[in-house]
Amino acid sequence: MLTKKQLDLLAFIHKRVQRDGVPPSFDEMKLALDLRSKSGIHRLITALEERGFIRRLAHRARAIEVVKLPESLGGAPQAGFTPRVIEGDRPDAPPPRAARMVSTSEALEVPVMGRIAAGVPIEAINHMTHSVTVPGGMISGKGEHYALEVKGDSMIEAGINDGDVVVIRETNVADDGDIVVALVEDSEATLKTFRRKGATIALEAANPAYETRVLPADQVKVQGRLVGLIRTY
């Protein structure tokens, strides 16, 4: 699923490539989407590339190739796969398999439910891919637990790197300063620090290269709180 801005940018790039044979510059994209800075265009380009709609070619100016288009822009329908975000309350679907004991009381097995963005938001897929074994002390509080693979570097100053696996306790509430899985506008999930500011919610990155997103409270739903991290070297 693409946001409106992502879809608008993809449509603009595709139209210019069809007309001129080369993609537009970042300045042209910024003007076309009425954005204040090119950093916003960079984030949209990264999101489109992560979703497989475009490809950037190294060592070439304006090297953006449109790989595919969504159905709304005339692309072929994608059969057999529909990404879904993890729903915290899951009224219409069973919850992920609960963390269960394995060989000893000091270790538990937790389902890995897909990927979560620590950077540009991406869909978190509600489908268990495999499981990981975690120390029992990492499972804190009541409720179900699951794990997600981290994609991106926006939380590196919080010690969360691209490729890490985060352990999440399902909850729909959070305190200021908690690192949470947040569902944004019912379409995208991201891993950020939660701050409540009056009638808005701020989703803060732990990397100065990323801007804080401030959204109306009704556009942000907490899906879980970070309780642990697993890193493979």
Side-chain angles (χ1 to χ4, degrees):
M1 181 181 294
L2 297 179
T3 65
K4 184 179 184 302
K5 285 292 188 183
Q6 292 163 3
L7 190 63
D8 289 346
L9 180 59
L10 181 60
F12 179 64
I13 294 171
H14 177 63
K15 182 178 179 180
R16 288 293 298 272
V17 170
Q18 292 294 304
R19 189 189 76 182
D20 302 336
V22 294
S25 68
F26 272 39
D27 283 324
E28 291 170 327
M29 296 180 204
K30 178 171 70 73
L31 290 173
L33 271 70
D34 194 27
L35 295 180
R36 291 191 296 269
S37 70
K38 287 189 285 189
S39 62
I41 293 296
H42 176 75
R43 287 193 293 273
L44 292 173
I45 289 290
T46 301
L48 290 172
E49 186 174 34
E50 288 177 344
R51 289 164 170 77
F53 288 97
I54 65 172
R55 178 167 52 238
R56 284 184 283 192
L57 307 177
H59 311 302
R60 290 175 55 186
R62 296 196 185 189
I64 298 175
E65 177 185 2
V66 177
V67 177
K68 65 180 181 179
L69 295 172
E71 289 184 68
S72 60
L73 295 180
Q78 302 296 306
F81 174 74
T82 303
R84 295 190 297 161
V85 295
I86 291 176
E87 296 289 346
D89 50 4
R90 293 184 182 85
D92 300 319
R97 187 181 62 184
R100 64 180 178 84
M101 297 299 295
V102 284
S103 57
T104 73
S105 61
E106 297 180 353
L108 298 98
E109 191 175 279
V110 173
V112 178
M113 302 300 294
R115 295 193 305 172
I116 184 73
V120 178
I122 59 176
E123 286 82 2
I125 302 171
N126 186 12
H127 174 69
M128 191 182 81
T129 57
H130 58 286
S131 60
V132 293
T133 301
V134 303
M138 192 177 288
I139 304 300
S140 62
K142 298 179 180 179
E144 304 287 352
H145 289 73
Y146 58 91
L148 293 165
E149 297 176 357
V150 174
K151 175 72 174 180
D153 62 357
S154 77
M155 298 300 289
I156 56 174
E157 292 189 3
I160 303 171
N161 298 334
D162 183 49
D164 286 347
V165 173
V166 289
V167 180
I168 305 296
R169 178 172 63 84
E170 286 193 63
T171 179
N172 58 9
V173 296
D175 296 324
D176 279 359
D178 284 348
I179 296 177
V180 303
V181 174
L183 179 65
V184 178
E185 296 179 337
D186 288 323
S187 62
E188 296 178 311
T190 188
L191 187 72
K192 292 290 185 291
T193 300
F194 177 94
R195 305 279 184 194
R196 187 176 294 278
K197 298 184 176 181
T200 65
I201 299 295
L203 298 177
E204 296 179 355
N207 182 336
Y210 294 84
E211 297 177 358
T212 296
R213 299 184 70 187
V214 180
L215 299 157
D218 62 358
Q219 293 183 15
V220 179
K221 297 177 182 177
V222 174
Q223 304 289 281
R225 185 173 66 84
L226 177 72
V227 296
L229 182 145
I230 302 167
R231 180 166 299 155
T232 302
Y233 295 92

